[in-house]
Amino acid sequence: MTVSSRTPRPIDHLVLPVSDLGVARDRLTALGFTVAKDARHPFGTENCCVFLSDGSYLEPLGIANREECEEAAREGNAFIARDQAFRFRRGIEGFSGVAMATNDALDDDRRYAAAGLSGGSVLEFSRDMLLPDGTSATGSFRLAFAADLRSPDFFFFASQRVQPLPSDRKALETHENGVVALAEVVLSEQNPTDFQYLVQEAADEREVEALSFGMSVDTPRGRITVLNDAGLEGFYGIAPVAGTDRGLKGRAVVFKVSSLTACQRALTERGVMLQIRDNRIVVPPAPGQGVHFIFGE
């Protein structure tokens, strides 16, 4: 595929493993988010998503049935295998993957394979979702996986909505904290450019912004940034984790809000611990929230 034929992929959603959906729901609600009803996957996991008005969403991912998950992993389900590996290596909460929106996951799968970055077989599935008005809808999806064996704790995948869920989710996309969009995802690695090709292929974007402490790739919906320890501490005040091994790690999610003052007020009224840093609100991880959440205008 030539540079001119590339079609940059927007961020579709973020995979956020959690220990318990109820705890995650309580935490996200306390942070001022509107949280969708719980939904089950046909392979043993469940989620309670947070939909943003820019079209992206957060997927807090829990385990509904461990036996079903284990069977799915044995049968080659790369999504479940990655989730199990993450929970074994990093703990039961965190940030394990970024899904990129696509109109053709099969084409993305071929592209990943040609680049030597295939993360497993294409996965197709359907799931039901309960809407705010009490009705239900079924969505069908096709996923293609991109991964690097040097980075077992983070992966990318292309997500094609073969049968999209209803697009009118205004009630679910309105949040008391004023969040209107996903601005950036922040990953860490000692030498960020070691994973430049993985990020570029996932985003289908060749342009990379080189930073003093890492790199960034802009997508049509949100930026993907990889920073070393100095960059994490300098830009976001996130202290390095002692003894962390190599490979990409999900460290923070940056949101765009309509009003930083109103967001701070909403969080403070809910008793959320936060810091103000460079005109942004930094909320450290807590039960149900496995990574830093950062809010800015």
Side-chain angles (χ1 to χ4, degrees):
M1 179 177 288
T2 65
V3 173
S4 61
S5 68
R6 287 184 176 272
T7 304
R9 306 294 197 261
I11 294 175
D12 186 76
H13 67 275
L14 313 181
V15 181
L16 304 169
V18 298
S19 60
D20 181 270
L21 281 194
V23 173
R25 177 181 297 280
D26 289 345
R27 176 59 178 175
L28 291 168
T29 300
L31 289 171
F33 288 107
T34 300
V35 186
K37 299 290 186 180
D38 292 2
R40 282 282 304 266
H41 292 133
F43 31 74
T45 48
E46 59 184 353
N47 60 32
C48 59
C49 295
V50 173
F51 296 98
L52 306 183
S53 57
D54 67 348
S56 66
Y57 65 97
L58 310 181
E59 183 185 19
L61 185 71
I63 303 298
N65 186 298
R66 187 166 302 279
E67 289 74 20
E68 289 180 11
C69 288
E70 291 172 352
E71 181 180 356
R74 286 194 298 270
E75 293 176 349
N77 184 317
F79 182 81
I80 294 299
R82 284 273 172 180
D83 182 64
Q84 288 188 328
F86 180 91
R87 293 173 191 271
F88 178 82
R89 287 175 49 82
R90 312 310 315 178
I92 53 179
E93 297 201 328
F95 176 18
S96 63
V98 173
M100 311 301 295
T102 183
N103 293 321
D104 191 344
L106 296 178
D107 183 62
D108 287 303
D109 182 59
R110 289 188 287 268
R111 181 165 54 84
Y112 299 156
L117 295 170
S118 174
S121 300
V122 171
L123 173 66
E124 299 190 38
F125 69 95
S126 298
R127 73 171 181 87
D128 294 329
M129 176 182 176
L130 186 62
L131 302 178
D133 63 2
T135 62
S136 62
T138 300
S140 297
F141 307 88
R142 182 178 294 131
L143 311 182
F145 302 93
D148 188 319
L149 289 175
R150 300 172 302 167
S151 181
D153 302 321
F154 203 87
F155 72 112
F156 295 87
F157 58 102
S159 178
Q160 178 184 357
R161 303 180 188 185
V162 179
Q163 180 179 325
L165 290 164
S167 58
D168 184 10
R169 297 194 298 255
K170 187 174 182 180
L172 290 174
E173 294 173 349
T174 303
H175 307 284
E176 292 185 20
N177 55 21
V179 167
V180 294
L182 175 67
E184 185 177 27
V185 295
V186 183
L187 316 179
S188 69
E189 155 58 25
Q190 293 177 29
N191 188 13
T193 55
D194 280 354
F195 295 94
Q196 175 178 330
Y197 296 129
L198 175 61
V199 176
Q200 286 176 308
E201 286 300 332
D204 203 13
E205 172 60 75
R206 302 309 299 173
E207 294 296 324
V208 176
E209 180 182 353
L211 310 171
S212 298
F213 303 106
M215 65 175 188
S216 287
V217 172
D218 285 320
T219 85
R221 187 191 295 130
R223 167 179 276 206
I224 302 171
T225 296
V226 186
L227 298 172
N228 59 22
D229 286 346
L232 274 177
E233 195 153 24
F235 287 117
Y236 299 107
I238 300 176
V241 178
T244 300
D245 54 1
R246 296 291 306 275
L248 296 174
K249 307 289 189 298
R251 301 302 300 274
V253 181
V254 184
F255 301 97
K256 180 180 179 180
V257 299
S258 54
S259 167
L260 195 65
T261 300
C263 180
Q264 183 179 352
R265 182 170 59 249
L267 295 177
T268 301
E269 289 175 351
R270 290 168 167 77
V272 175
M273 293 183 59
L274 56 85
Q275 299 175 340
I276 304 299
R277 184 183 182 88
D278 298 330
N279 292 319
R280 287 182 293 204
I281 299 169
V282 179
V283 179
Q289 174 206 336
V291 294
H292 284 76
F293 279 5
I294 300 167
F295 305 85
E297 292 182 348

